[in-house]
Amino acid sequence: QVQLVESGGGLVQAGGSLRLSCAASGSIFSISFKGWYRQAPGKQREMVAGISSDGSTNYADSVKGRFTISRDNAKNTGYLQMNSLKPEDTAVYYCKFHWAGRDYWGQGTQVTVSS
């Protein structure tokens, strides 16, 4: 079984910062953190940032230069540092891990950016 616990969301003013965390636990081995997604009300879930096994990263154009994805393999934890937040970043953010041939999603954490 895989359990994912997200934390770090909240309410912040435009221009502020938040750091999201997503920790995986359970009877896991070689689980891999894949990235962060978000879903705003009335919109489809979209990829925000991804990280490959070799450490290369990719970002949605809308967050390039403002968000940074990282991971700590020893802790089975992924992170998303979000700076210069904008109201349009408001969404529920989900982390994704991959293990034993399938994807696992976090429960989601709300990020709200006020103008």
Side-chain angles (χ1 to χ4, degrees):
Q1 282 285 40
V2 176
Q3 296 88 39
L4 302 182
V5 178
E6 296 186 33
S7 61
L11 173 65
V12 64
Q13 288 189 331
S17 298
L18 286 173
R19 188 191 193 211
L20 305 183
S21 299
C22 182
S25 62
S27 301
I28 54 178
F29 178 74
S30 296
I31 192 169
S32 57
F33 171 63
K34 290 298 187 182
W36 292 93
Y37 292 69
R38 68 187 181 188
Q39 187 166 16
K43 295 187 177 182
Q44 290 189 335
R45 189 174 297 188
E46 62 174 357
M47 191 277 290
V48 175
I51 186 165
S52 301
S53 56
D54 63 1
S56 59
T57 58
N58 62 290
Y59 298 91
D61 288 343
S62 59
V63 307
K64 282 180 181 177
R66 300 188 296 122
F67 290 12
T68 303
I69 189 172
S70 62
R71 67 186 177 203
D72 185 333
N73 289 332
K75 296 182 179 179
N76 288 328
T77 301
Y79 305 96
L80 185 67
Q81 177 66 44
M82 304 185 293
N83 299 328
S84 302
L85 283 160
K86 304 176 181 180
E88 50 264 43
D89 295 318
T90 295
V92 178
Y93 284 70
Y94 299 90
C95 62
K96 186 174 80 170
F97 277 78
H98 188 83
W99 180 71
R102 60 161 288 187
D103 293 330
Y104 291 84
W105 294 89
Q107 82 279 11
T109 185
Q110 177 70 46
V111 171
T112 303
V113 184
S114 63
S115 57

